[in-house]
Every structure is written in C-alpha cells, then in structure tokens.
C-alpha cells in the first residue's frame, strides 16, 4: 500500500482525507516525491475558485510536513524568496536577489524530501516570476506543487522552460454526493442530514466545496439555535442557503 493510500484510508478528521480533491492532491504529492531519478518534479493542481484547492493543500501540508506559501498580490521576487526561507526554517537576512536565491536553493535541498506548495501561483505567472521557481526546483530538486485557478495551465504554456518541466497536471473537481456527505460529517457530525438536503445543496452551490462548508455551518448554527438534530430539505426556506449572490433569510419554522 502506498503512503497516499495509507493516509486516505485513515479517515482522519472525520473522513476529510476521503474527499476526492484531497485524495487527488495527496496522490499528486506522492507522484512528485517518488518520481524516478532524472524526471522533473513540478506539479500543477488547478481549478475554479471554491473547489477546495487551498483546503486540500493545507490538509496535505499537515500530512506530509510540506513547506507551503500563499503568494500575495504585492509580492516581489525578494518577498517570495524570504517566505520560502521562513518555511524552510532559515532566518532570512538582508541580501541581494542572487544571494537569497542561493540561500533558498540550499535550504530547500537541506529539507529534502519535504515538498514545496505554492498557492495562488497564478500571481507568479502574472508577475513573471515562474523562471525563479524553475531555478529553485532545478537546483534543489525539491518537489514543487503549483496551485492556482483554472487558467494556470494556459499561463504556464507561455513560459516554455517551466511548462515542459511539469511532471503531472491534476484538475480539482466539483463535489459529488459522497464528497458533500463527508464534508457534512466533518462540519456537523452530530446532525443527521437527509439525502434530499445534501443533493439540494450540491445543486445550490454547483458542487463547490467552499459553498457547501458555509451552508453546513449555517445548518449547524440553526440546529443549535432550535435544538434540532434531524434536518431535511423541508426544514428550510429556499433563500436560507448561501449561493454566493446574497444572504439568506432565517429558516422557515413549522406552525
């Protein structure tokens, strides 16, 4: 049994490891870590906003002791390198970009086989900083996983020397009924939520993990306020739930 299968089968955190996007992410991490010698170690996890990419990366970080950074809108090359050094447990110091790059390469190599997750990697493409990531990877050989929106693969295509070093591409997917049920068990394990309510929430949120989690938290709050444990579609007005467009009203109460 592979390391990823062992992690997924543990059912850690109320089954969160069994959510398909988490399993996909963990499998990609394992692919990068266990790649044969001579193969590139860049991976890309991409998809639409709200599918749970960041949550999957945080879960995988806890499982693998990965280094993880989330690129900010204002970041420069120096900021990127300093953040990587902090994650590699090296105190950043005043230095040139070239010196910081060398420090980061050495720090990453010293942390092998800890992978590096870079969330919001779209910003690196927009800021023309992908070549720096390629340099860090090539000289340290540490697995690097780029996480971003659905257009990230197209953005990487514009930087050929980065694009042709990607070992694997994995797309995050929308939640199905099983995923939604697992998320409900993580967020509100004390409640019994009917299948018709689960299916309605998938339709309402278009299967986006973020929207499902928000709605399960609303259901949990409602259940606490009204001391209910069994919830179904008929327990709520249509506009009670989060859709990303407007705030819902209070749930309908039986006469």
């Amino acid at each position: 049994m592979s390391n990823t299968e062992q992690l997924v089968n543990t059912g850690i955190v109320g089954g969160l490891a069994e959510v398909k996007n988490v399993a996909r992410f963990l499998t990609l991490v394992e692919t990068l870590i266990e790649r044969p010698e001579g193969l590139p170690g860049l991976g890309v996890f991409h998809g639409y906003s709200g599918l749970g990419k960041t949550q999957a990366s945080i879960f995988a970080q806890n499982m693998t002791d990965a280094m993880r950074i989330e690129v900010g809108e204002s970041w420069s090359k120096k900021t990127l390198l300093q953040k990587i050094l902090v994650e590699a447990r090296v105190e950043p110091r005043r230095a040139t970009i070239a010196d910081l790059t060398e420090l980061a390469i050495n720090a990453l190599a010293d942390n092998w086989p800890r992978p590096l997750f870079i969330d919001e990697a779209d910003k690196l493409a927009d800021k023309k900083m992908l070549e720096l990531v390629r340099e860090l990877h090539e000289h340290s050989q540490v697995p690097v996983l780029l996480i971003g929106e659905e257009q990230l693969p197209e953005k990487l295509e514009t930087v050929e020397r980065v694009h042709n070093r990607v070992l694997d591409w994995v797309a995050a997917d929308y939640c199905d009924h099983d995923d939604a049920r697992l998320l409900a068990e993580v967020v509100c394990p004390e409640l019994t939520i009917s299948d018709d309510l689960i299916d309605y929430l998938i339709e309402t949120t278009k299967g986006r993990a973020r929207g499902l989690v928000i709605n399960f938290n609303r259901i949990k709050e409602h259940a606490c306020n009204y001391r209910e444990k069994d919830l179904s579609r008929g327990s709520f007005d249509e506009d009670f739930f989060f859709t990303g467009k407007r705030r819902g009203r209070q749930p309908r109460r039986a006469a």
Side-chain angles (χ1 to χ4, degrees):
M1 181 181 291
S2 69
N3 293 335
T4 296
E5 287 172 330
Q6 291 173 352
L7 290 172
V8 171
N9 289 339
T10 58
I12 297 170
V13 193
L16 184 58
E18 296 176 5
V19 175
K20 294 179 184 65
N21 280 336
V22 174
R24 291 185 184 101
F25 195 99
L26 287 168
T27 299
L28 178 56
V29 174
E30 182 177 284
T31 298
L32 298 179
I33 292 175
E34 299 185 357
R35 71 191 189 277
E37 186 176 354
L39 290 183
L42 289 180
V44 177
F45 192 71
H46 60 96
Y48 289 95
S49 175
L51 294 185
K53 301 184 300 296
T54 294
Q55 288 71 24
S57 72
I58 293 172
F59 187 91
Q61 177 188 21
N62 292 330
M63 294 296 97
T64 63
D65 191 33
M67 298 168 278
R68 181 183 175 278
I69 61 173
E70 187 169 329
V71 181
E73 193 67 43
S74 63
W75 282 22
S76 63
K77 288 182 178 180
K78 177 172 283 190
T79 309
L80 173 66
L81 292 166
Q82 290 172 333
K83 296 292 186 181
I84 290 174
L85 285 169
V86 170
E87 280 296 301
R89 301 163 185 156
V90 174
E91 185 68 28
R93 56 180 173 80
R94 288 182 176 271
T96 64
I97 296 295
D99 289 338
L100 286 172
T101 300
E102 184 175 358
L103 281 173
I105 289 169
N106 292 334
L108 290 172
D110 289 343
N111 274 269
W112 174 266
R114 293 178 70 204
L116 172 63
F117 302 162
I118 303 181
D119 203 353
E120 300 286 348
D122 309 75
K123 296 185 176 76
L124 296 181
D126 298 338
K127 295 171 177 288
K128 303 187 185 304
M129 290 161 57
L130 287 172
E131 278 285 3
L132 177 56
V133 173
R134 179 195 61 79
E135 181 179 359
L136 295 174
H137 163 65
E138 283 204 344
H139 290 285
S140 70
Q141 286 300 297
V142 164
V144 177
L145 206 160
L146 303 174
I147 306 156
E149 301 296 311
E150 72 280 4
Q151 294 181 345
L152 180 57
E154 286 74 20
K155 291 182 178 182
L156 289 172
E157 284 182 359
T158 65
V159 189
E160 183 180 358
R161 294 208 299 172
V162 177
H163 184 269
N164 63 21
R165 285 168 173 79
V166 175
L167 181 63
D168 201 4
W169 310 76
V170 175
D173 205 354
Y174 296 94
C175 291
D176 60 15
H177 184 95
D178 290 340
D179 287 333
R181 174 64 68 188
L182 286 167
L183 289 173
E185 291 173 0
V186 170
V187 177
C188 40
E190 70 281 6
L191 303 180
T192 300
I193 298 178
S194 67
D195 284 339
D196 71 323
L197 180 52
I198 291 286
D199 290 337
Y200 178 77
L201 291 176
I202 293 172
E203 179 184 356
T204 299
T205 63
K206 297 181 172 59
R208 295 178 187 260
R210 182 183 300 140
L212 286 167
V213 170
I214 290 172
N215 280 315
F216 288 136
N217 272 293
R218 288 191 177 185
I219 289 171
K220 183 176 182 178
E221 181 181 357
H222 160 74
C224 179
N225 290 339
Y226 293 100
R227 298 185 179 182
E228 295 180 355
K229 287 189 175 295
D230 298 314
L231 289 307
S232 67
R233 172 67 188 90
S235 304
F236 303 93
D237 285 333
E238 182 175 345
D239 55 3
F240 171 74
F241 295 106
F242 171 83
T243 65
K245 295 181 180 179
R246 65 170 185 258
R247 176 82 180 179
R249 294 200 304 264
Q250 290 297 312
R252 181 175 70 249
R253 301 300 303 156

